[in-house]
């Protein structure tokens, strides 16, 4: 089997994903410190520095964290991650994605997911997304890219409480025939 690269450099020209580095902390936290980014997320307190520091440190340990940048300027506009910890056989999870609010409603999330899912499906049969059950914004976002709701659920401790999560999936056939293939 080909070695799996969970920290690739991916680009479509305008958006570039690259391995997250410790020195990215100030720029990534500058994006993440906006409370409105986390308002409907189960980890609604993630904008607070100590909470985000734990999130960032976990991302660094994961071996799959990516900085999302504008290619032309190098400006960090968010972050995402590949992770195997909650994935089943033949799967990888894409998640922990957040973007500066100026990128909401455009094509940035679509582009990121097209790049990441396309890369992941070179190595895995399926990509999963673990999303807070009540996080309507994130659920709509993955539905727009062709992810299918599965019957799998997961309870995850967040912001001092257990948060129910649902799992969405995209496999190779979904990708080839879905909106990300364009």
């Amino acid at each position: 089997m080909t070695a799996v690269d969970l920290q690739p450099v991916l680009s479509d020209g305008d958006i570039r994903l690259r391995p997250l580095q410790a020195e990215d902390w100030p720029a990534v936290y500058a994006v993440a410190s906006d409370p409105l980014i986390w308002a409907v997320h189960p980890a609604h307190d993630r904008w607070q520095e100590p909470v985000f520091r734990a999130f960032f440190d976990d991302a660094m340990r994961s071996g799959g964290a990516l900085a999302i940048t504008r290619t032309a300027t190098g400006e960090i506009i968010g972050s995402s991650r590949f992770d195997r910890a909650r994935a089943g056989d033949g799967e990888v999870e894409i998640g922990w994605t957040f973007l500066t609010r100026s990128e909401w409603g455009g094509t940035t999330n679509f582009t990121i997911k097209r790049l990441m899912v396309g890369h992941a499906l070179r190595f895995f049969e399926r990509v999963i997304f673990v999303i807070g059950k009540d996080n309507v914004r994130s659920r709509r976002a993955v539905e727009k890219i062709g992810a299918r709701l599965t019957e799998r659920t997961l309870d995850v401790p967040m912001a001092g409480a257990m948060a129910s999560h649902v799992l969405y999936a995209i496999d190779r056939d979904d990708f080839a025939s879905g909106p990300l293939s364009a």
Side-chain angles (χ1 to χ4, degrees):
M1 177 179 173
T2 306
V4 177
D5 184 2
L6 295 181
Q7 282 192 300
V9 174
L10 305 170
S11 179
D12 79 335
D14 187 41
I15 300 294
R16 182 173 183 257
L17 291 92
R18 60 160 176 80
L20 186 68
Q21 301 168 357
E23 55 268 18
D24 292 329
W25 163 258
V28 174
Y29 182 63
V31 172
S33 64
D34 178 350
L36 292 178
I37 289 175
W38 310 103
V40 298
H41 193 279
H44 54 81
D45 60 349
R46 197 170 279 159
W47 62 273
Q48 298 171 16
E49 188 171 353
V51 177
F52 189 77
R53 173 52 82 178
F55 174 86
F56 183 87
D57 291 347
D58 186 56
M60 293 300 296
R61 282 189 300 274
S62 77
L66 301 169
I68 304 165
T69 68
R70 286 267 167 225
T71 303
T73 64
E75 173 192 12
I76 291 178
I77 58 172
S79 180
S80 193
R81 185 188 324 177
F82 290 109
D83 202 295
R84 295 266 309 124
R86 302 186 294 195
D89 289 340
E91 296 179 336
V92 67
E93 181 179 356
I94 293 176
W96 300 270
T97 306
F98 65 93
L99 292 168
T100 183
R101 283 189 294 132
S102 64
E103 299 296 329
W104 291 6
T107 60
T108 303
N109 186 59
F110 183 88
T111 299
I112 293 162
K113 294 308 191 294
R114 181 176 47 76
L115 291 168
M116 291 181 74
V117 171
H119 175 78
L121 291 177
R122 293 175 46 216
F123 307 100
F124 300 97
E125 297 169 25
R126 184 174 29 269
V127 171
I128 62 168
F129 303 90
V130 179
I131 300 174
K133 184 179 87 177
D134 299 323
N135 187 343
V136 176
R137 182 173 50 220
S138 292
R139 290 183 69 168
R140 274 195 208 128
V142 297
E143 289 166 359
K144 280 182 178 179
I145 64 167
R148 291 174 292 104
L149 181 63
T150 71
E151 294 183 9
R152 292 160 61 188
T153 60
L154 184 66
D155 288 331
V156 180
M158 294 187 148
M162 290 304 283
S164 295
H165 286 67
V166 295
L167 275 77
Y168 283 81
I170 295 177
D171 62 24
R172 290 176 178 148
D173 290 338
D174 295 333
F175 182 76
S177 63
L180 293 177
S181 70

